[in-house]
Amino acid sequence: MTYAMEFLGKLLNELRVLPKETEWVEFKHNNENPREIGENISALATAAALAGKAHSYLVWGIEAATHNILGTDFRPRQKKIGNEELENWLLRQLSPKINFSFLEINTDRGIVILL
């Protein structure tokens, strides 16, 4: 296991032990609606800034109520809007510009996507 994967696994566990979703952490199962993702990115970034947090997180493959890992079918690197990749489309649409990236974590219960 690489250091990066170990770090992501630890981060995922830290987010999962939170007692509930916060204004800067949200869990999803399979939502892949581009507009909703963009709205979530913008809202989470704003909420994190207001809460004094350096980062916010949107996590796919986690059950919101229990924080159990379910895995997800959402694959952001394969998702396209027209002929444009999702990440590029989101970067172009968001204003002000927000720095984000999709990271894939392989777990024994399925794939989790961390944004």
Side-chain angles (χ1 to χ4, degrees):
M1 176 180 283
T2 67
Y3 174 77
M5 289 308 294
E6 185 177 329
F7 173 80
L8 290 176
K10 287 179 180 180
L11 175 58
L12 177 61
N13 287 333
E14 287 178 20
L15 296 174
R16 289 181 55 224
V17 298
L18 291 171
K20 61 182 180 173
E21 291 180 319
T22 69
E23 60 273 3
W24 50 275
V25 176
E26 191 166 326
F27 299 111
K28 300 288 183 192
H29 183 207
N30 280 322
N31 178 24
E32 55 184 72
N33 180 297
R35 292 207 184 283
E36 286 182 28
I37 293 169
E39 290 170 1
N40 284 331
I41 291 170
S42 183
L44 287 166
T46 300
L50 292 173
K53 300 291 183 179
H55 304 283
S56 60
Y57 303 94
L58 184 54
V59 188
W60 285 263
I62 303 293
E63 184 177 43
T66 65
H67 300 183
N68 290 332
I69 296 174
L70 303 172
T72 185
D73 296 328
F74 176 52
R75 299 294 183 273
R77 302 230 187 281
Q78 297 171 1
K79 179 84 174 160
K80 293 193 183 261
I81 299 26
N83 289 328
E84 191 172 12
E85 293 178 2
L86 173 63
E87 193 167 338
N88 290 340
W89 184 85
L90 289 166
L91 285 167
R92 191 171 50 76
Q93 296 293 321
L94 291 173
S95 180
K97 298 295 181 201
I98 299 172
N99 185 23
F100 67 89
S101 59
F102 290 99
L103 304 167
E104 189 172 298
I105 304 169
N106 291 309
T107 75
D108 58 349
R109 295 187 210 130
I111 291 175
V112 172
I113 303 294
L114 178 66
L115 179 131

